Amino acid sequence: MINLQIRYLVAGLFMGVAELIPGISGSTVAVIFKIYKNLMSILSELKFRNLTFDLQKLSRTFQLSLFIPLFISMVLSVIIFSNGIEYLIINYEKSFLLTLGWLMILSSLYVVHFFKPLLQDFFLLVFFLIGALSGIFFQEMVFVAGEITGLYLFLSGVLAFSFFLIPGISGSAVLVILGVYPVVIQGIANFNLQTLIPFGIGCLFSLIILPKFILNLFLIYEQKLMFIFSGLIFASGYLLIT
């Protein structure tokens, strides 16, 4: 258990760093550290009926012995490393992103032990290509938003948080694609409830619905899904170095 807690603690540190870097999601790190499936399992338990004042039941349901180290280290990482990441991006952006891109490409092959499964089932390469091409296509999209309504902000929240939970594409990149990134950032800075409430409800909707959906897919198609995630991570790394 202690070794597992250390893994979640270290994963949280790197997840916090990932959220500070453009184009990378924390869930990518969760896949690399092989905690993604269990993290979706924990998040899938976010239901009103599971909320209780019984600490023992709460601890069992949400695996607090693992989730608390992950969450605390993630928050501390954002606080501690934010200035360092900003310094690297400002002063060494090209070298920093190039190194990061190659690390992601290598990690995308590592998370599925790429070549060994292909010897047993070469068709898995199709799922890798689906992930890679989808990642490149989506991040290269340019979407011109019309009037930014409350419904549009809600849908943006759903999509952005969905990609926060899916490895390979960052939620902030999705907001840029949808044309609402400046609006959301200004809304946070100015505490504009007209922006934050519909956007936040969209994020919450995604948080409640998506983990259970992903977990169900894992139970049936784990290896194929991992190859799709591997492709998405590969695409993010490729776009960082190009």
Side-chain angles (χ1 to χ4, degrees), residues 16-136:
V17 170
E19 292 305 325
L20 294 169
I21 300 170
I24 303 178
S25 67
S27 54
T28 298
V29 177
V31 169
I32 293 170
F33 275 84
K34 302 186 184 302
I35 66 168
Y36 180 80
K37 181 180 177 181
N38 194 48
L39 186 56
M40 290 300 104
S41 176
I42 294 171
L43 294 177
S44 69
E45 296 297 332
L46 286 173
K47 307 179 184 72
F48 285 112
R49 62 183 172 84
N50 287 333
L51 300 180
T52 175
F53 290 106
D54 185 338
L55 291 180
Q56 286 188 337
K57 183 179 178 182
L58 205 64
S59 180
R60 287 194 304 270
T61 302
F62 295 103
Q63 301 180 50
L64 295 184
S65 62
L66 299 176
F67 187 75
I68 288 176
L70 176 80
F71 180 76
I72 291 176
S73 63
M74 187 173 173
V75 172
L76 287 176
S77 177
V78 170
I79 295 170
I80 294 169
F81 295 111
S82 57
N83 289 332
I85 296 296
E86 183 182 26
Y87 174 82
L88 288 172
I89 291 175
I90 291 173
N91 295 283
Y92 304 100
E93 181 178 9
K94 187 174 180 180
S95 299
F96 178 61
L97 295 181
L98 186 66
T99 302
L100 199 62
W102 280 111
L103 283 174
M104 289 184 68
I105 287 172
L106 292 174
S107 296
S108 73
L109 303 180
Y110 163 75
V111 295
V112 289
H113 304 291
F114 190 74
F115 298 103
K116 186 177 178 180
L118 288 180
L119 292 175
Q120 300 172 345
D121 185 1
F122 191 74
F123 191 67
L124 290 170
L125 183 62
V126 173
F127 294 96
F128 176 83
L129 292 174
I130 288 172
L133 293 174
S134 298
I136 292 171

Side-chain angles (χ1 to χ4, degrees), residues 5 17 57 62 68 144 148-149 153 157 219 221 223 228 237:
Q5 287 174 323
V17 170
K57 183 179 178 182
F62 295 103
I68 288 176
V144 180
I148 298 177
T149 62
L153 285 167
L219 295 175
Y221 306 109
Q223 191 175 47
I228 291 174

